[in-house]
Amino acid sequence: MEITVRGLLTMIHGMGFGALYLLACMGAIVELGRHYSPAAETPPTAKDDAFLRAYLLGMIALAWFAVLTGAYIIYPWYRAVPPPGTADLAGFPQRLLMGSPATIGWHSIGMEWKEHVAWLAPIAITMAAAVFMKYGRNLRRHPELRSAVLSFVLISFVAAGIAGFFGAMLDKHAPVEGGGTIQLMHGEQP
Amino acid sequence: MNAKTASTSHDSAQPSNGSGAAAILAAGIGSLMVALLAIAADKWAGLKNMMVFYKPTGPLSGVTTCAIAVWILMWVILEMRWRRRTVAVTRVTTAALVLLGLSLLLTFPPIADLF
């Protein structure tokens, strides 16, 4: 059971940071909606505040790690240009996708959208977290700010979801592979 | 958004909402900058070359770095102007959400390619 270095880093980018961020978005929406609504039966405690602060800081880290590893580690491998005359494009995902009318859309629409829309997620969640850090429990007294924070977390989720969907589909049609090989486990002989 | 028309004097009974509004509007502007710079870099070859801050990543490196710089700069400016004010957050949020919605649409290649 082997995995390439590029495959492992792509998995960490997509599943470690991206997918975990998507899951975390739902938790933030529920928590903000449940505890910080002006109509909430039980007002948030200092412990709730501290928890959500740490949670949102974690989300900021996940979102920025996802886009930065995507843009500066995975994307250069994705867009690498093969030497002239290269017949096997397996190590050059962008060129592999562009080589067939059946797959070119995954690059020209999928990757082109993903590489830009993904950045809206960390911007939006950083804003949402900053507003929460500033106001905390006082958000109950600022329903407009609370609605804005919730809206931005939701849009951040949508942006990350678009990027995640196309990331998964791109990796399905033209996986980023290469580099060294890591032996994970030895299977049983048949 | 004109801060003078959108703001009222600070009500001491409630903490000012200006800092929150500054963060919200700056995020909307920063998001739109990602889309606008991506379209501009795609349209003008000279700008595209200028946006290559890190060659392996190509113009995406400059587009996103510049957009983030604009976002943070706008955040600092708005924070300095609004931090002690109570501003019309509903209007600010609506404007920011429109900017964010536009950036979602304008980063979609079939729409971006119309320009």
Side-chain angles (χ1 to χ4, degrees), chain A residues 64 71-72 75-76 79 108-109 112-113 115-117 119-120 123 126-127 130 134-135 141-142 144-145 148 151-152 155, chain B residues 13-17 19-20 23-24 31 38 54-58 60-61 64 75 90 93 100 103-104 107-109:
Chain A
W64 283 107
Y72 291 98
Y75 188 54
R79 70 192 292 269
S108 62
I109 295 175
E112 293 280 335
W113 197 13
E115 72 188 41
H116 295 113
V117 80
W119 291 84
L120 306 189
I123 291 174
T126 302
M127 182 288 285
K134 173 88 182 175
Y135 294 91
R141 297 165 67 188
H142 293 286
E144 305 94 345
L145 283 180
S151 303
F152 270 69
I155 290 177
Chain B
Q14 270 202 343
S16 157
N17 62 16
S19 283
I24 290 164
S31 300
Y54 177 63
K55 203 172 176 187
T57 298
L60 179 65
S61 57
T64 52
W75 194 349
T90 305
T93 301
L100 203 53
S103 56
L104 270 175
T107 50
F108 185 53

Side-chain angles (χ1 to χ4, degrees), chain A residues 163-188:
Chain A
F165 167 75
F166 281 112
M169 296 310 287
L170 285 158
D171 205 51
K172 184 178 167 74
H173 288 92
V176 174
E177 294 288 1
T181 301
I182 300 167
Q183 185 79 43
L184 296 174
M185 289 176 77
H186 290 282
E188 289 180 14

Side-chain angles (χ1 to χ4, degrees), chain A residues 14 16 33 40 45 87 93 99 101 103 111 116 183:
Chain A
T45 62
T103 56
M111 178 50 101
H116 295 113
Q183 185 79 43

